[in-house]
């Protein structure tokens, strides 16, 4: 795993930094090593964003996609989310390009956990789909301004990563031990 290679490199048991960065360029540990080595994450970004297919080629699925798009245009986010829930299950075997569009739609209904899940599945099969638009799906907009406003001494990307890991940007998240919110803070 990227974590194991990171700690091997940190302990100087082996020089795994290059292997770590090459195999898992966007893992937290790879980004730490890259920063330490002075390598910009931009180096790993593809010049072109992946081509997105807005239609699957399946008439039934495409009709449901059009309904979802219409509901979003009408401001019916919750109804679109409900429709998307069953739609995403039926599109698991579709082209990665279409699955990315499913992630875009899930992001528009603010179902970030499902967005991450779809993107992770696509990227684990085809890393070449990683580009700036996919990165934006992994770091959603709704909290960007608030994070920047309150991160005087903390790195905003670290705070964003923590929120993503702890709650998948679900502000109502509550753990089984009582931690709450975006950063899973324990109440006093």
């Amino acid at each position: 795993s990227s974590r194991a290679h990171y700690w091997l490199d940190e302990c100087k048991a082996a020089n795994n930094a290059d292997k770590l960065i090459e195999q898992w360029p966007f893992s937290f540990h790879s980004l730490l090593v890259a920063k330490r080595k002075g390598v910009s994450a931009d180096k790993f970004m593809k010049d072109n964003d992946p081509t997105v297919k807005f239609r699957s080629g399946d008439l039934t699925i495409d009709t449901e996609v059009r309904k979802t798009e219409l509901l979003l245009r009408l401001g019916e986010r919750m109804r679109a989310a409900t429709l998307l829930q069953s739609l995403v299950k039926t599109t698991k075997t579709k082209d990665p390009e279409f699955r990315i569009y499913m992630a875009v739609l899930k992001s528009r209904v603010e179902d970030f956990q499902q967005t991450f899940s779809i993107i992770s599945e696509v990227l684990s099969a085809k890393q070449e789909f990683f580009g700036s638009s996919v990165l934006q799906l992994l770091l959603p907009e709704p909290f960007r301004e608030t994070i920047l406003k309150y991160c005087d001494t903390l790195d905003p990307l670290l705070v964003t990563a923590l929120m993503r890991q702890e709650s998948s940007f679900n502000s109502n998240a509550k753990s089984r031990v009582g931690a709450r919110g975006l950063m899973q803070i324990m109440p006093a």
Side-chain angles (χ1 to χ4, degrees), residues 2-177:
S2 67
R3 185 181 323 173
H5 282 280
Y6 172 79
W7 286 111
L8 281 171
D9 186 62
E10 277 296 303
C11 297
K12 306 295 184 215
N15 186 2
N16 286 295
D18 293 332
K19 183 177 180 181
L20 171 65
I21 291 171
E22 181 183 320
Q23 284 189 305
W24 298 282
F26 294 100
S27 77
F28 173 74
H29 295 94
S30 292
L31 293 173
L32 283 177
V33 169
K35 186 174 182 176
R36 186 178 70 218
K37 292 182 83 170
V39 176
S40 170
D42 292 341
K43 173 184 175 190
F44 308 111
M45 297 296 284
K46 303 296 179 201
D47 290 335
N48 301 3
D49 280 327
T51 303
V52 175
K53 283 187 177 178
F54 298 99
R55 300 293 176 254
S56 70
D58 179 308
L59 183 61
T60 304
I61 290 173
D62 292 345
T63 300
E64 297 300 301
V65 169
R66 285 187 190 95
K67 287 179 190 176
T68 302
E69 292 165 338
L70 179 60
L71 287 169
L72 285 169
R73 279 195 299 272
L74 294 172
E76 295 285 340
R77 190 177 66 81
M78 295 306 289
R79 289 180 66 194
T82 301
L83 186 59
L84 268 174
Q85 196 60 39
S86 60
L87 186 58
V88 166
K89 291 176 186 173
T90 63
T91 61
K92 282 193 178 273
T93 59
K94 295 298 178 188
D95 294 334
E97 296 89 343
F98 180 69
R99 302 254 319 139
I100 290 172
Y101 187 55
M102 289 290 94
V104 168
L105 292 174
K106 288 302 259 181
S107 181
R108 289 180 185 165
V109 299
E110 297 184 3
D111 184 349
F112 301 118
Q113 188 170 9
Q114 188 72 49
T115 302
F116 303 147
S117 177
I118 294 168
I119 293 298
S120 295
E121 290 168 9
V122 169
L123 292 179
S124 68
K126 292 191 165 213
Q127 267 194 336
E128 64 267 17
F129 282 103
F130 199 91
S132 59
S133 63
V134 172
L135 181 60
Q136 288 175 352
L137 288 172
L138 296 173
L139 301 171
E141 292 286 327
F143 305 102
R144 188 169 294 154
E145 290 301 316
T146 304
I147 291 168
L148 292 173
K149 180 179 176 182
Y150 292 104
C151 283
D152 295 335
T153 58
L154 293 173
D155 182 342
L157 289 177
L158 176 64
V159 174
T160 303
L162 179 67
M163 291 167 69
R164 179 190 175 279
Q165 180 65 35
E166 293 299 323
S167 68
S168 295
F169 297 100
N170 177 357
S171 58
N172 297 316
K174 184 177 177 186
S175 76
R176 64 183 180 284
V177 296

